[in-house]
Amino acid sequence: MIVLIFHGSRDPDHNLQAAELARALGVGYAFMEAEPRFRGGVGVPMFVADGADYRHAAEVATVKAPPLLRWPGFADYLKGLGAQLYIFHGPDRGDVAALGLPVAFLEGEPNIEDAPCVETAAPVVLTRGYIYKKIAAKYSRCQANLLPPLAEQPTFIEYLRRTLPIIISRYRQADIATNY
């Protein structure tokens, strides 16, 4: 069984949306920091960017996939959102800067507190959990239309349906059992 591995949170909105995203794709889910924990299957880390949490998930995953920023077509997906500002959790470890998009970070530079006010901003997070809420609160000084998190975007779910099989095929560890 394919299992998406998310961070997990004390914020129930994150955990609920992660579960809903997995159900929409017809796969299982697990968390690194909440229940249910990853206990087997074809585990795929679901993190936007590189960082300690992603690396920890990648260690236990059976599919050693990179963060979403390095998935095929993800940069184009973000560009297609048409936002004038893309807001990430941060800090950047190089992947975000490589996109060539106007960005701000909740943690890191350029910081959200110094970001220009725009008509449409895209928080680049998976769920409407703690990080999305913090971005919304900090950017509330602007009257921008904040796009929903990725898990609430039907086009993102379609993107995952198309791309997840490619990622599994490319990054699945050859020595794991195939009878999940």
Side-chain angles (χ1 to χ4, degrees):
M1 169 187 228
I2 297 169
V3 179
L4 303 181
I5 304 172
F6 298 91
H7 183 269
S9 175
R10 287 184 290 231
D11 185 321
D13 292 338
H14 166 76
N15 298 346
L16 179 62
Q17 275 200 313
E20 289 172 354
L21 177 60
R23 273 193 292 280
L25 296 169
V27 300
Y29 68 95
F31 300 116
M32 296 302 299
E33 300 293 330
E35 290 295 334
R37 302 281 183 155
F38 180 64
R39 292 182 178 34
V42 180
V44 182
M46 291 300 295
F47 291 76
V48 171
D50 189 10
D53 294 331
Y54 157 74
R55 288 191 296 274
H56 182 61
E59 285 176 13
V60 302
T62 50
V63 177
K64 305 301 182 185
L68 286 167
L69 285 175
R70 288 188 263 156
W71 283 29
F74 187 71
D76 292 331
Y77 177 81
L78 290 180
K79 290 173 186 173
L81 294 175
Q84 292 88 39
L85 182 67
Y86 295 81
I87 306 170
F88 291 82
H89 179 234
D92 186 16
R93 288 174 171 70
D95 288 343
V96 176
L99 295 172
L101 295 170
V103 299
F105 296 95
L106 188 59
E107 296 176 10
E109 297 298 328
N111 194 274
I112 190 172
E113 292 181 5
D114 302 320
C117 291
V118 298
E119 186 176 319
T120 302
V124 186
V125 297
L126 289 167
T127 69
R128 194 178 294 272
Y130 174 77
I131 301 301
Y132 184 92
K133 292 171 187 171
K134 197 167 179 183
I135 288 170
K138 288 219 179 224
Y139 202 62
S140 66
R141 65 181 172 79
C142 298
Q143 298 301 310
N145 169 37
L146 277 187
L147 295 180
L150 297 171
E152 291 180 22
Q153 298 175 21
T155 52
F156 179 70
I157 294 169
E158 287 305 314
Y159 165 79
L160 285 180
R161 280 191 182 121
R162 286 189 318 272
T163 311
L164 194 56
I166 296 166
I167 293 298
I168 291 169
S169 173
R170 189 176 293 170
Y171 295 102
R172 186 170 182 184
Q173 298 299 288
D175 60 341
I176 65 169
T178 57
N179 58 350
Y180 287 107

